[in-house]
Amino acid sequence: MSAHSTLEDVHPLDAGPRSVLMRRIGTAALTLVLLAALGGFLGDRESTTSAQARGYTLTVTTAAAARPGQDVPWRVQVHSPEGFGPELTIAVTAAYLEIYETQGFHPEPGATTRDGEWLYLTFDSPSGTTFVLDYDAYIQPNATVGRSGAVALVTGDARVAEVPIRTVLFP
């Protein structure tokens, strides 16, 4: 007979199986992920935010949560009951736009300028009381980190109304 028993490291039967606890933890984690997915917490979401100042209403719709490579909404709407002046300028935080791959703005701006932080899009005076700017874009396939920024309505040299925007990216 051997001096060493092969049963020394065997888990005793009266302690119960070890794997039951791990199965329960795994099942609970899987259930939480499934419930989050069913509740829409893991999918793409959009956010609409507004600001009002000096008779203007600035409304911005962007992706709040998205995945790389997917089309996302990006729309700016400016409403003024009195109409607009000779031109309309919208400023966007330039670094925020770096997560997008784009076909361009619709309508196209008449002039585009950029300083260290902002991209300024200047349009000829729109007819009517509402102006809508769409950005035909999708999240770059190699984007891994979301961005925060702002969209602002510019009159003269001042940002009149400013809306914060943020997009979180999921793998």
Side-chain angles (χ1 to χ4, degrees), residues 36-46 64-67 70 168 170:
L38 289 173
F41 295 106
L42 300 181
D44 296 342
R45 291 188 312 273
E46 68 179 50
R67 290 185 182 93
Q70 292 193 334
V168 176
F170 293 110

Side-chain angles (χ1 to χ4, degrees), residues 25-43 67:
I25 291 172
T27 301
L30 186 59
T31 301
L32 288 174
V33 169
L34 181 62
L35 289 174
L38 289 173
F41 295 106
L42 300 181
R67 290 185 182 93

